[in-house]
Every structure is written in C-alpha cells, then in structure tokens.
Amino acid sequence: MGDENKQDQLKELERYDFLLATGAKEIFAQIDYALRQGQHIQHKHDKQTTLFNFIYANEESLTNYYLDFFHVNLSSNDADKFNKYYYLSFNPNDRGMVRKGRYEYMEKKHIIVGLVFWELYELDMNYPDTLTKFYEILFNHDLYKDSFIRLFAGIDSETEEMYEDKEIIKKEIYKAFENFESLGWVYFKKTDDDQKNSFVIMPSFRRLVEEQYKNEIENYHELSEKLLADD
C-alpha cells in the first residue's frame, strides 16, 4: 500500500516537473509574477528570451500547474518559436484564482491608441518606431487626427476642442504605450537620457486586433461608426 501511495505521489509530481528543470529556482518566480500581472512572454523580447525558453521547454507541466492551482490557462498563439508568445487566459466569466487587480482591464482610450497605431503600422505601412514619429504622422494627417480626437471625445463625452491641445494627446499616447510595455506588447530601447521614445513592436501586440482581448474591443467599430456618422 505504501509503495502504491508513493507511486501515485510521484505520478502527481510529474505533472509539475518544471520545478525540477535547470534554472527553475532562479527563473520560475519571474515567470509566475510576469504572467499573473498580465504580461506576455516571447522570444523576440530582449528581456524575456530566457523566460520564454524556460516556458517553451516546460510548456506541458506549466500548463498543468496553472490549470490545477489557479484554474486559468497558459495560452499561446499559433506561430513558430520566434513569433510565439505565452500569456494567461481566463474562462468566460471566471478569473480563476488570479484575482482582480493583478490583471487590469485596459482603458478605452488606450485601446483606441493601439488600434489607430496598428492601422498606421500594419495597414498603411508607415512603421512608426518612435513616439515622436507616431505623433508627427497622427497630427499631420487630418483623417487620422480628426477621427482619433472624435473617438477620444466620444468616450469621455467631452467636446473635441478639449483635445486640440497636442500635449494632452501626447500625454495619453505615452500612458497607453507604458501600458503596452507592461503587457509585453512593446519594449522601449534604452537611451542615454533614459527617455521612452524608440520602441520595438512585439508579436503579442496582435492580440489587440486579432482577439477580443478586452470587452470594449467588441464595440470599437460600432463606436467609431456612430461618432463619425454624427459629424
């Protein structure tokens, strides 16, 4: 009976054999903290490669761990290793054991910033890689600027004139990109003056446009059409 119990225990421990992997003591705590903060971990991110490689090598047992202990899913996109990213996802109407406050919902304004940026980046192929360039493109093209300001005003029930001050728009865009950085969607290149301006887009940024990552995204096009129609 004792041997059978030991075998059952060993079999159970095999579900979490990532704990015995090389570097687990040094790496797993970083991975766990990042994932439960809502961060996406990917190979392309200069600061995440070691974390990504650990998850990639121990994906099955880590999946078991998060499902068994937290009732959430360790998810990833369908891509090759170089473009793959990992994140925690929740079942509908159930956050599992990852409590509210550790994974914040994105502000609607930041969703708009992300969607407008992606339109510039992916569809129009302007490829802004600095906040300065993004500002310049946005403010020098009336089509982008007008619709952008209209959406902002519509969310807060403010007048469009409130956003005629470019510094207000810049401040909101900066806050949005800081949020994107915390999610692992972008990372800022280090500069001598330590100012956040030049950035690199990560594969995980696509979650904003390819999935209903936040509930508000479902209503984005309806919101846009309504506001533009009211002009």
Side-chain angles (χ1 to χ4, degrees), residues 79-112:
D80 60 85
K81 180 179 179 180
F82 192 59
N83 291 290
K84 196 178 189 69
Y85 55 85
Y86 292 99
Y87 59 97
L88 294 184
S89 64
F90 308 102
N91 297 315
N93 302 316
D94 182 10
R95 294 182 61 87
M97 300 299 291
V98 179
R99 295 306 179 194
K100 189 175 181 179
R102 295 183 63 85
Y103 191 84
E104 299 295 337
Y105 285 100
M106 190 182 299
E107 293 182 25
K108 292 180 181 179
K109 285 184 179 180
H110 295 174
I111 292 173
I112 289 174

PDB file of all heavy atoms in Angstrom, residues 79-112:
ATOM      1  N   ALA A  79       2.061  30.025 -33.725  1.00  0.00           N
ATOM      2  CA  ALA A  79       3.161  30.592 -34.511  1.00  0.00           C
ATOM      3  C   ALA A  79       4.435  29.810 -34.254  1.00  0.00           C
ATOM      4  O   ALA A  79       4.519  29.002 -33.323  1.00  0.00           O
ATOM      5  CB  ALA A  79       3.371  32.070 -34.146  1.00  0.00           C
ATOM      6  N   ASP A  80       5.434  30.048 -35.097  1.00  0.00           N
ATOM      7  CA  ASP A  80       6.731  29.422 -34.878  1.00  0.00           C
ATOM      8  C   ASP A  80       7.360  29.995 -33.609  1.00  0.00           C
ATOM      9  O   ASP A  80       6.900  31.005 -33.061  1.00  0.00           O
ATOM     10  CB  ASP A  80       7.644  29.675 -36.081  1.00  0.00           C
ATOM     11  CG  ASP A  80       7.866  31.155 -36.327  1.00  0.00           C
ATOM     12  OD1 ASP A  80       8.768  31.740 -35.705  1.00  0.00           O
ATOM     13  OD2 ASP A  80       7.102  31.739 -37.137  1.00  0.00           O
ATOM     14  N   LYS A  81       8.406  29.335 -33.162  1.00  0.00           N
ATOM     15  CA  LYS A  81       9.027  29.712 -31.887  1.00  0.00           C
ATOM     16  C   LYS A  81       9.423  31.182 -31.867  1.00  0.00           C
ATOM     17  O   LYS A  81       9.232  31.866 -30.837  1.00  0.00           O
ATOM     18  CB  LYS A  81      10.261  28.843 -31.627  1.00  0.00           C
ATOM     19  CG  LYS A  81      10.979  29.166 -30.328  1.00  0.00           C
ATOM     20  CD  LYS A  81      12.179  28.246 -30.103  1.00  0.00           C
ATOM     21  CE  LYS A  81      12.903  28.602 -28.816  1.00  0.00           C
ATOM     22  NZ  LYS A  81      14.074  27.719 -28.569  1.00  0.00           N
ATOM     23  N   PHE A  82       9.944  31.694 -32.962  1.00  0.00           N
ATOM     24  CA  PHE A  82      10.462  33.064 -32.983  1.00  0.00           C
ATOM     25  C   PHE A  82       9.342  34.086 -32.802  1.00  0.00           C
ATOM     26  O   PHE A  82       9.569  35.177 -32.285  1.00  0.00           O
ATOM     27  CB  PHE A  82      11.202  33.310 -34.299  1.00  0.00           C
ATOM     28  CG  PHE A  82      12.011  34.572 -34.306  1.00  0.00           C
ATOM     29  CD1 PHE A  82      13.024  34.784 -33.389  1.00  0.00           C
ATOM     30  CD2 PHE A  82      11.751  35.570 -35.235  1.00  0.00           C
ATOM     31  CE1 PHE A  82      13.766  35.955 -33.387  1.00  0.00           C
ATOM     32  CE2 PHE A  82      12.490  36.744 -35.253  1.00  0.00           C
ATOM     33  CZ  PHE A  82      13.501  36.934 -34.322  1.00  0.00           C
ATOM     34  N   ASN A  83       8.124  33.746 -33.230  1.00  0.00           N
ATOM     35  CA  ASN A  83       6.999  34.686 -33.135  1.00  0.00           C
ATOM     36  C   ASN A  83       5.966  34.270 -32.090  1.00  0.00           C
ATOM     37  O   ASN A  83       4.904  34.873 -31.993  1.00  0.00           O
ATOM     38  CB  ASN A  83       6.312  34.806 -34.497  1.00  0.00           C
ATOM     39  CG  ASN A  83       7.184  35.521 -35.504  1.00  0.00           C
ATOM     40  OD1 ASN A  83       7.422  36.720 -35.400  1.00  0.00           O
ATOM     41  ND2 ASN A  83       7.685  34.785 -36.485  1.00  0.00           N
ATOM     42  N   LYS A  84       6.276  33.278 -31.320  1.00  0.00           N
ATOM     43  CA  LYS A  84       5.341  32.749 -30.322  1.00  0.00           C
ATOM     44  C   LYS A  84       5.362  33.609 -29.067  1.00  0.00           C
ATOM     45  O   LYS A  84       6.377  34.213 -28.718  1.00  0.00           O
ATOM     46  CB  LYS A  84       5.746  31.316 -29.978  1.00  0.00           C
ATOM     47  CG  LYS A  84       4.689  30.493 -29.263  1.00  0.00           C
ATOM     48  CD  LYS A  84       5.233  29.085 -29.029  1.00  0.00           C
ATOM     49  CE  LYS A  84       4.166  28.146 -28.519  1.00  0.00           C
ATOM     50  NZ  LYS A  84       3.142  27.831 -29.538  1.00  0.00           N
ATOM     51  N   TYR A  85       4.230  33.644 -28.379  1.00  0.00           N
ATOM     52  CA  TYR A  85       4.181  34.312 -27.074  1.00  0.00           C
ATOM     53  C   TYR A  85       3.222  33.557 -26.164  1.00  0.00           C
ATOM     54  O   TYR A  85       2.282  32.898 -26.612  1.00  0.00           O
ATOM     55  CB  TYR A  85       3.769  35.777 -27.200  1.00  0.00           C
ATOM     56  CG  TYR A  85       2.466  36.025 -27.918  1.00  0.00           C
ATOM     57  CD1 TYR A  85       1.237  35.970 -27.248  1.00  0.00           C
ATOM     58  CD2 TYR A  85       2.451  36.339 -29.277  1.00  0.00           C
ATOM     59  CE1 TYR A  85       0.050  36.210 -27.899  1.00  0.00           C
ATOM     60  CE2 TYR A  85       1.261  36.582 -29.941  1.00  0.00           C
ATOM     61  CZ  TYR A  85       0.062  36.522 -29.246  1.00  0.00           C
ATOM     62  OH  TYR A  85      -1.127  36.749 -29.903  1.00  0.00           O
ATOM     63  N   TYR A  86       3.472  33.662 -24.859  1.00  0.00           N
ATOM     64  CA  TYR A  86       2.661  32.999 -23.845  1.00  0.00           C
ATOM     65  C   TYR A  86       1.977  34.038 -22.952  1.00  0.00           C
ATOM     66  O   TYR A  86       2.523  35.124 -22.714  1.00  0.00           O
ATOM     67  CB  TYR A  86       3.535  32.106 -22.961  1.00  0.00           C
ATOM     68  CG  TYR A  86       4.119  30.905 -23.671  1.00  0.00           C
ATOM     69  CD1 TYR A  86       5.427  30.923 -24.150  1.00  0.00           C
ATOM     70  CD2 TYR A  86       3.366  29.743 -23.861  1.00  0.00           C
ATOM     71  CE1 TYR A  86       5.969  29.826 -24.797  1.00  0.00           C
ATOM     72  CE2 TYR A  86       3.899  28.638 -24.508  1.00  0.00           C
ATOM     73  CZ  TYR A  86       5.202  28.686 -24.970  1.00  0.00           C
ATOM     74  OH  TYR A  86       5.734  27.595 -25.620  1.00  0.00           O
ATOM     75  N   TYR A  87       0.802  33.656 -22.450  1.00  0.00           N
ATOM     76  CA  TYR A  87       0.060  34.532 -21.551  1.00  0.00           C
ATOM     77  C   TYR A  87      -0.975  33.688 -20.814  1.00  0.00           C
ATOM     78  O   TYR A  87      -1.267  32.548 -21.210  1.00  0.00           O
ATOM     79  CB  TYR A  87      -0.634  35.658 -22.327  1.00  0.00           C
ATOM     80  CG  TYR A  87      -1.611  35.150 -23.378  1.00  0.00           C
ATOM     81  CD1 TYR A  87      -2.970  35.059 -23.118  1.00  0.00           C
ATOM     82  CD2 TYR A  87      -1.148  34.762 -24.642  1.00  0.00           C
ATOM     83  CE1 TYR A  87      -3.861  34.583 -24.078  1.00  0.00           C
ATOM     84  CE2 TYR A  87      -2.020  34.289 -25.605  1.00  0.00           C
ATOM     85  CZ  TYR A  87      -3.379  34.214 -25.315  1.00  0.00           C
ATOM     86  OH  TYR A  87      -4.248  33.736 -26.274  1.00  0.00           O
ATOM     87  N   LEU A  88      -1.520  34.237 -19.747  1.00  0.00           N
ATOM     88  CA  LEU A  88      -2.595  33.554 -19.029  1.00  0.00           C
ATOM     89  C   LEU A  88      -3.934  34.030 -19.563  1.00  0.00           C
ATOM     90  O   LEU A  88      -4.155  35.235 -19.724  1.00  0.00           O
ATOM     91  CB  LEU A  88      -2.519  33.841 -17.531  1.00  0.00           C
ATOM     92  CG  LEU A  88      -1.305  33.281 -16.781  1.00  0.00           C
ATOM     93  CD1 LEU A  88      -1.441  33.586 -15.284  1.00  0.00           C
ATOM     94  CD2 LEU A  88      -1.130  31.784 -17.004  1.00  0.00           C
ATOM     95  N   SER A  89      -4.827  33.089 -19.843  1.00  0.00           N
ATOM     96  CA  SER A  89      -6.171  33.439 -20.294  1.00  0.00           C
ATOM     97  C   SER A  89      -7.190  32.847 -19.338  1.00  0.00           C
ATOM     98  O   SER A  89      -6.917  31.862 -18.636  1.00  0.00           O
ATOM     99  CB  SER A  89      -6.414  32.928 -21.718  1.00  0.00           C
ATOM    100  OG  SER A  89      -6.369  31.512 -21.766  1.00  0.00           O
ATOM    101  N   PHE A  90      -8.358  33.459 -19.327  1.00  0.00           N
ATOM    102  CA  PHE A  90      -9.395  33.071 -18.382  1.00  0.00           C
ATOM    103  C   PHE A  90     -10.572  32.444 -19.113  1.00  0.00           C
ATOM    104  O   PHE A  90     -10.844  32.758 -20.274  1.00  0.00           O
ATOM    105  CB  PHE A  90      -9.878  34.294 -17.598  1.00  0.00           C
ATOM    106  CG  PHE A  90      -8.763  35.069 -16.973  1.00  0.00           C
ATOM    107  CD1 PHE A  90      -8.307  36.245 -17.538  1.00  0.00           C
ATOM    108  CD2 PHE A  90      -8.161  34.618 -15.814  1.00  0.00           C
ATOM    109  CE1 PHE A  90      -7.270  36.959 -16.967  1.00  0.00           C
ATOM    110  CE2 PHE A  90      -7.127  35.320 -15.232  1.00  0.00           C
ATOM    111  CZ  PHE A  90      -6.678  36.496 -15.809  1.00  0.00           C
ATOM    112  N   ASN A  91     -11.281  31.587 -18.413  1.00  0.00           N
ATOM    113  CA  ASN A  91     -12.519  31.058 -18.939  1.00  0.00           C
ATOM    114  C   ASN A  91     -13.597  32.141 -18.855  1.00  0.00           C
ATOM    115  O   ASN A  91     -13.494  33.055 -18.035  1.00  0.00           O
ATOM    116  CB  ASN A  91     -12.952  29.823 -18.145  1.00  0.00           C
ATOM    117  CG  ASN A  91     -11.934  28.695 -18.264  1.00  0.00           C
ATOM    118  OD1 ASN A  91     -11.447  28.396 -19.353  1.00  0.00           O
ATOM    119  ND2 ASN A  91     -11.597  28.081 -17.136  1.00  0.00           N
ATOM    120  N   PRO A  92     -14.628  32.070 -19.700  1.00  0.00           N
ATOM    121  CA  PRO A  92     -15.678  33.099 -19.676  1.00  0.00           C
ATOM    122  C   PRO A  92     -16.268  33.281 -18.280  1.00  0.00           C
ATOM    123  O   PRO A  92     -16.641  32.322 -17.618  1.00  0.00           O
ATOM    124  CB  PRO A  92     -16.730  32.547 -20.655  1.00  0.00           C
ATOM    125  CG  PRO A  92     -15.953  31.672 -21.591  1.00  0.00           C
ATOM    126  CD  PRO A  92     -14.874  31.050 -20.753  1.00  0.00           C
ATOM    127  N   ASN A  93     -16.297  34.536 -17.838  1.00  0.00           N
ATOM    128  CA  ASN A  93     -16.900  34.891 -16.542  1.00  0.00           C
ATOM    129  C   ASN A  93     -16.214  34.223 -15.356  1.00  0.00           C
ATOM    130  O   ASN A  93     -16.827  34.052 -14.293  1.00  0.00           O
ATOM    131  CB  ASN A  93     -18.396  34.546 -16.526  1.00  0.00           C
ATOM    132  CG  ASN A  93     -19.162  35.233 -17.630  1.00  0.00           C
ATOM    133  OD1 ASN A  93     -18.968  36.416 -17.888  1.00  0.00           O
ATOM    134  ND2 ASN A  93     -20.021  34.483 -18.301  1.00  0.00           N
ATOM    135  N   ASP A  94     -14.956  33.842 -15.528  1.00  0.00           N
ATOM    136  CA  ASP A  94     -14.243  33.186 -14.432  1.00  0.00           C
ATOM    137  C   ASP A  94     -12.773  33.553 -14.494  1.00  0.00           C
ATOM    138  O   ASP A  94     -12.070  33.198 -15.433  1.00  0.00           O
ATOM    139  CB  ASP A  94     -14.414  31.672 -14.527  1.00  0.00           C
ATOM    140  CG  ASP A  94     -13.731  30.940 -13.369  1.00  0.00           C
ATOM    141  OD1 ASP A  94     -13.296  31.611 -12.419  1.00  0.00           O
ATOM    142  OD2 ASP A  94     -13.636  29.700 -13.429  1.00  0.00           O
ATOM    143  N   ARG A  95     -12.309  34.277 -13.492  1.00  0.00           N
ATOM    144  CA  ARG A  95     -10.907  34.680 -13.434  1.00  0.00           C
ATOM    145  C   ARG A  95     -10.051  33.650 -12.727  1.00  0.00           C
ATOM    146  O   ARG A  95      -8.869  33.873 -12.508  1.00  0.00           O
ATOM    147  CB  ARG A  95     -10.770  36.032 -12.719  1.00  0.00           C
ATOM    148  CG  ARG A  95     -11.387  37.196 -13.460  1.00  0.00           C
ATOM    149  CD  ARG A  95     -11.162  38.482 -12.701  1.00  0.00           C
ATOM    150  NE  ARG A  95      -9.749  38.758 -12.557  1.00  0.00           N
ATOM    151  CZ  ARG A  95      -9.015  39.416 -13.454  1.00  0.00           C
ATOM    152  NH1 ARG A  95      -9.583  39.849 -14.559  1.00  0.00           N
ATOM    153  NH2 ARG A  95      -7.745  39.634 -13.255  1.00  0.00           N
ATOM    154  N   GLY A  96     -10.654  32.517 -12.342  1.00  0.00           N
ATOM    155  CA  GLY A  96      -9.882  31.523 -11.628  1.00  0.00           C
ATOM    156  C   GLY A  96      -9.387  32.086 -10.316  1.00  0.00           C
ATOM    157  O   GLY A  96     -10.083  32.826  -9.626  1.00  0.00           O
ATOM    158  N   MET A  97      -8.151  31.736  -9.959  1.00  0.00           N
ATOM    159  CA  MET A  97      -7.552  32.195  -8.705  1.00  0.00           C
ATOM    160  C   MET A  97      -6.627  33.387  -8.901  1.00  0.00           C
ATOM    161  O   MET A  97      -5.917  33.788  -7.987  1.00  0.00           O
ATOM    162  CB  MET A  97      -6.777  31.049  -8.052  1.00  0.00           C
ATOM    163  CG  MET A  97      -7.634  29.831  -7.725  1.00  0.00           C
ATOM    164  SD  MET A  97      -8.951  30.218  -6.557  1.00  0.00           S
ATOM    165  CE  MET A  97      -7.988  30.512  -5.062  1.00  0.00           C
ATOM    166  N   VAL A  98      -6.624  33.961 -10.102  1.00  0.00           N
ATOM    167  CA  VAL A  98      -5.857  35.181 -10.347  1.00  0.00           C
ATOM    168  C   VAL A  98      -6.806  36.337 -10.116  1.00  0.00           C
ATOM    169  O   VAL A  98      -7.688  36.607 -10.926  1.00  0.00           O
ATOM    170  CB  VAL A  98      -5.283  35.212 -11.779  1.00  0.00           C
ATOM    171  CG1 VAL A  98      -4.506  36.495 -12.008  1.00  0.00           C
ATOM    172  CG2 VAL A  98      -4.380  33.999 -11.996  1.00  0.00           C
ATOM    173  N   ARG A  99      -6.650  37.000  -9.006  1.00  0.00           N
ATOM    174  CA  ARG A  99      -7.648  37.943  -8.546  1.00  0.00           C
ATOM    175  C   ARG A  99      -7.592  39.280  -9.276  1.00  0.00           C
ATOM    176  O   ARG A  99      -6.559  39.696  -9.785  1.00  0.00           O
ATOM    177  CB  ARG A  99      -7.505  38.186  -7.038  1.00  0.00           C
ATOM    178  CG  ARG A  99      -7.783  36.936  -6.208  1.00  0.00           C
ATOM    179  CD  ARG A  99      -9.140  36.352  -6.560  1.00  0.00           C
ATOM    180  NE  ARG A  99      -9.441  35.150  -5.802  1.00  0.00           N
ATOM    181  CZ  ARG A  99     -10.421  34.322  -6.109  1.00  0.00           C
ATOM    182  NH1 ARG A  99     -11.175  34.547  -7.162  1.00  0.00           N
ATOM    183  NH2 ARG A  99     -10.629  33.244  -5.380  1.00  0.00           N
ATOM    184  N   LYS A 100      -8.738  39.959  -9.273  1.00  0.00           N
ATOM    185  CA  LYS A 100      -8.849  41.275  -9.887  1.00  0.00           C
ATOM    186  C   LYS A 100      -7.871  42.224  -9.228  1.00  0.00           C
ATOM    187  O   LYS A 100      -7.700  42.229  -8.012  1.00  0.00           O
ATOM    188  CB  LYS A 100     -10.273  41.805  -9.727  1.00  0.00           C
ATOM    189  CG  LYS A 100     -10.547  43.077 -10.513  1.00  0.00           C
ATOM    190  CD  LYS A 100     -12.007  43.453 -10.395  1.00  0.00           C
ATOM    191  CE  LYS A 100     -12.298  44.705 -11.205  1.00  0.00           C
ATOM    192  NZ  LYS A 100     -13.713  45.086 -11.119  1.00  0.00           N
ATOM    193  N   GLY A 101      -7.242  43.048 -10.041  1.00  0.00           N
ATOM    194  CA  GLY A 101      -6.250  43.974  -9.531  1.00  0.00           C
ATOM    195  C   GLY A 101      -4.858  43.576  -9.987  1.00  0.00           C
ATOM    196  O   GLY A 101      -3.983  44.414 -10.120  1.00  0.00           O
ATOM    197  N   ARG A 102      -4.669  42.286 -10.269  1.00  0.00           N
ATOM    198  CA  ARG A 102      -3.375  41.832 -10.772  1.00  0.00           C
ATOM    199  C   ARG A 102      -3.380  41.769 -12.296  1.00  0.00           C
ATOM    200  O   ARG A 102      -2.358  41.556 -12.911  1.00  0.00           O
ATOM    201  CB  ARG A 102      -3.031  40.461 -10.189  1.00  0.00           C
ATOM    202  CG  ARG A 102      -2.823  40.493  -8.692  1.00  0.00           C
ATOM    203  CD  ARG A 102      -2.427  39.151  -8.150  1.00  0.00           C
ATOM    204  NE  ARG A 102      -1.144  38.680  -8.676  1.00  0.00           N
ATOM    205  CZ  ARG A 102       0.038  39.011  -8.173  1.00  0.00           C
ATOM    206  NH1 ARG A 102       0.119  39.837  -7.164  1.00  0.00           N
ATOM    207  NH2 ARG A 102       1.146  38.512  -8.683  1.00  0.00           N
ATOM    208  N   TYR A 103      -4.535  41.920 -12.867  1.00  0.00           N
ATOM    209  CA  TYR A 103      -4.634  41.890 -14.318  1.00  0.00           C
ATOM    210  C   TYR A 103      -5.702  42.902 -14.727  1.00  0.00           C
ATOM    211  O   TYR A 103      -6.872  42.601 -14.804  1.00  0.00           O
ATOM    212  CB  TYR A 103      -5.021  40.483 -14.783  1.00  0.00           C
ATOM    213  CG  TYR A 103      -4.901  40.282 -16.281  1.00  0.00           C
ATOM    214  CD1 TYR A 103      -3.682  39.954 -16.845  1.00  0.00           C
ATOM    215  CD2 TYR A 103      -6.002  40.420 -17.102  1.00  0.00           C
ATOM    216  CE1 TYR A 103      -3.571  39.753 -18.204  1.00  0.00           C
ATOM    217  CE2 TYR A 103      -5.900  40.229 -18.467  1.00  0.00           C
ATOM    218  CZ  TYR A 103      -4.694  39.891 -19.008  1.00  0.00           C
ATOM    219  OH  TYR A 103      -4.576  39.706 -20.358  1.00  0.00           O
ATOM    220  N   GLU A 104      -5.277  44.124 -14.908  1.00  0.00           N
ATOM    221  CA  GLU A 104      -6.210  45.221 -15.091  1.00  0.00           C
ATOM    222  C   GLU A 104      -6.783  45.254 -16.502  1.00  0.00           C
ATOM    223  O   GLU A 104      -6.119  44.898 -17.472  1.00  0.00           O
ATOM    224  CB  GLU A 104      -5.497  46.552 -14.797  1.00  0.00           C
ATOM    225  CG  GLU A 104      -4.967  46.678 -13.399  1.00  0.00           C
ATOM    226  CD  GLU A 104      -6.071  46.694 -12.352  1.00  0.00           C
ATOM    227  OE1 GLU A 104      -7.212  47.036 -12.704  1.00  0.00           O
ATOM    228  OE2 GLU A 104      -5.788  46.337 -11.198  1.00  0.00           O
ATOM    229  N   TYR A 105      -8.016  45.714 -16.598  1.00  0.00           N
ATOM    230  CA  TYR A 105      -8.618  45.946 -17.905  1.00  0.00           C
ATOM    231  C   TYR A 105      -8.073  47.249 -18.488  1.00  0.00           C
ATOM    232  O   TYR A 105      -7.893  48.232 -17.790  1.00  0.00           O
ATOM    233  CB  TYR A 105     -10.138  46.012 -17.790  1.00  0.00           C
ATOM    234  CG  TYR A 105     -10.764  44.666 -17.596  1.00  0.00           C
ATOM    235  CD1 TYR A 105     -11.156  44.234 -16.331  1.00  0.00           C
ATOM    236  CD2 TYR A 105     -10.933  43.811 -18.672  1.00  0.00           C
ATOM    237  CE1 TYR A 105     -11.714  42.984 -16.156  1.00  0.00           C
ATOM    238  CE2 TYR A 105     -11.495  42.560 -18.506  1.00  0.00           C
ATOM    239  CZ  TYR A 105     -11.886  42.154 -17.249  1.00  0.00           C
ATOM    240  OH  TYR A 105     -12.433  40.911 -17.074  1.00  0.00           O
ATOM    241  N   MET A 106      -7.860  47.219 -19.774  1.00  0.00           N
ATOM    242  CA  MET A 106      -7.279  48.374 -20.439  1.00  0.00           C
ATOM    243  C   MET A 106      -8.306  49.486 -20.619  1.00  0.00           C
ATOM    244  O   MET A 106      -9.467  49.230 -20.911  1.00  0.00           O
ATOM    245  CB  MET A 106      -6.736  47.955 -21.806  1.00  0.00           C
ATOM    246  CG  MET A 106      -5.895  49.025 -22.472  1.00  0.00           C
ATOM    247  SD  MET A 106      -5.330  48.483 -24.102  1.00  0.00           S
ATOM    248  CE  MET A 106      -4.359  47.055 -23.632  1.00  0.00           C
ATOM    249  N   GLU A 107      -7.875  50.711 -20.436  1.00  0.00           N
ATOM    250  CA  GLU A 107      -8.758  51.848 -20.650  1.00  0.00           C
ATOM    251  C   GLU A 107      -9.150  51.930 -22.120  1.00  0.00           C
ATOM    252  O   GLU A 107      -8.371  51.614 -23.017  1.00  0.00           O
ATOM    253  CB  GLU A 107      -8.052  53.150 -20.243  1.00  0.00           C
ATOM    254  CG  GLU A 107      -7.787  53.272 -18.755  1.00  0.00           C
ATOM    255  CD  GLU A 107      -7.136  54.602 -18.413  1.00  0.00           C
ATOM    256  OE1 GLU A 107      -7.332  55.566 -19.202  1.00  0.00           O
ATOM    257  OE2 GLU A 107      -6.452  54.682 -17.394  1.00  0.00           O
ATOM    258  N   LYS A 108     -10.368  52.401 -22.360  1.00  0.00           N
ATOM    259  CA  LYS A 108     -10.859  52.504 -23.737  1.00  0.00           C
ATOM    260  C   LYS A 108      -9.961  53.416 -24.581  1.00  0.00           C
ATOM    261  O   LYS A 108      -9.729  53.157 -25.761  1.00  0.00           O
ATOM    262  CB  LYS A 108     -12.294  53.018 -23.739  1.00  0.00           C
ATOM    263  CG  LYS A 108     -13.293  52.035 -23.159  1.00  0.00           C
ATOM    264  CD  LYS A 108     -14.700  52.613 -23.186  1.00  0.00           C
ATOM    265  CE  LYS A 108     -15.707  51.638 -22.584  1.00  0.00           C
ATOM    266  NZ  LYS A 108     -17.079  52.202 -22.570  1.00  0.00           N
ATOM    267  N   LYS A 109      -9.469  54.484 -23.971  1.00  0.00           N
ATOM    268  CA  LYS A 109      -8.594  55.399 -24.711  1.00  0.00           C
ATOM    269  C   LYS A 109      -7.332  54.682 -25.178  1.00  0.00           C
ATOM    270  O   LYS A 109      -6.834  54.928 -26.283  1.00  0.00           O
ATOM    271  CB  LYS A 109      -8.217  56.601 -23.844  1.00  0.00           C
ATOM    272  CG  LYS A 109      -9.315  57.620 -23.669  1.00  0.00           C
ATOM    273  CD  LYS A 109      -8.810  58.807 -22.877  1.00  0.00           C
ATOM    274  CE  LYS A 109      -9.895  59.848 -22.706  1.00  0.00           C
ATOM    275  NZ  LYS A 109      -9.415  61.014 -21.929  1.00  0.00           N
ATOM    276  N   HIS A 110      -6.815  53.809 -24.358  1.00  0.00           N
ATOM    277  CA  HIS A 110      -5.590  53.100 -24.719  1.00  0.00           C
ATOM    278  C   HIS A 110      -5.860  52.077 -25.815  1.00  0.00           C
ATOM    279  O   HIS A 110      -4.991  51.818 -26.657  1.00  0.00           O
ATOM    280  CB  HIS A 110      -4.995  52.434 -23.480  1.00  0.00           C
ATOM    281  CG  HIS A 110      -4.548  53.421 -22.442  1.00  0.00           C
ATOM    282  ND1 HIS A 110      -4.089  53.043 -21.202  1.00  0.00           N
ATOM    283  CD2 HIS A 110      -4.499  54.776 -22.473  1.00  0.00           C
ATOM    284  CE1 HIS A 110      -3.771  54.125 -20.510  1.00  0.00           C
ATOM    285  NE2 HIS A 110      -4.021  55.184 -21.254  1.00  0.00           N
ATOM    286  N   ILE A 111      -7.058  51.505 -25.807  1.00  0.00           N
ATOM    287  CA  ILE A 111      -7.436  50.607 -26.898  1.00  0.00           C
ATOM    288  C   ILE A 111      -7.462  51.373 -28.208  1.00  0.00           C
ATOM    289  O   ILE A 111      -6.961  50.900 -29.239  1.00  0.00           O
ATOM    290  CB  ILE A 111      -8.810  49.968 -26.620  1.00  0.00           C
ATOM    291  CG1 ILE A 111      -8.720  49.011 -25.426  1.00  0.00           C
ATOM    292  CG2 ILE A 111      -9.318  49.209 -27.847  1.00  0.00           C
ATOM    293  CD1 ILE A 111     -10.051  48.459 -24.976  1.00  0.00           C
ATOM    294  N   ILE A 112      -8.039  52.573 -28.185  1.00  0.00           N
ATOM    295  CA  ILE A 112      -8.095  53.401 -29.393  1.00  0.00           C
ATOM    296  C   ILE A 112      -6.694  53.745 -29.871  1.00  0.00           C
ATOM    297  O   ILE A 112      -6.398  53.666 -31.072  1.00  0.00           O
ATOM    298  CB  ILE A 112      -8.912  54.677 -29.129  1.00  0.00           C
ATOM    299  CG1 ILE A 112     -10.383  54.318 -28.985  1.00  0.00           C
ATOM    300  CG2 ILE A 112      -8.727  55.692 -30.258  1.00  0.00           C
ATOM    301  CD1 ILE A 112     -11.262  55.470 -28.578  1.00  0.00           C
TER     302      ILE A 112
END
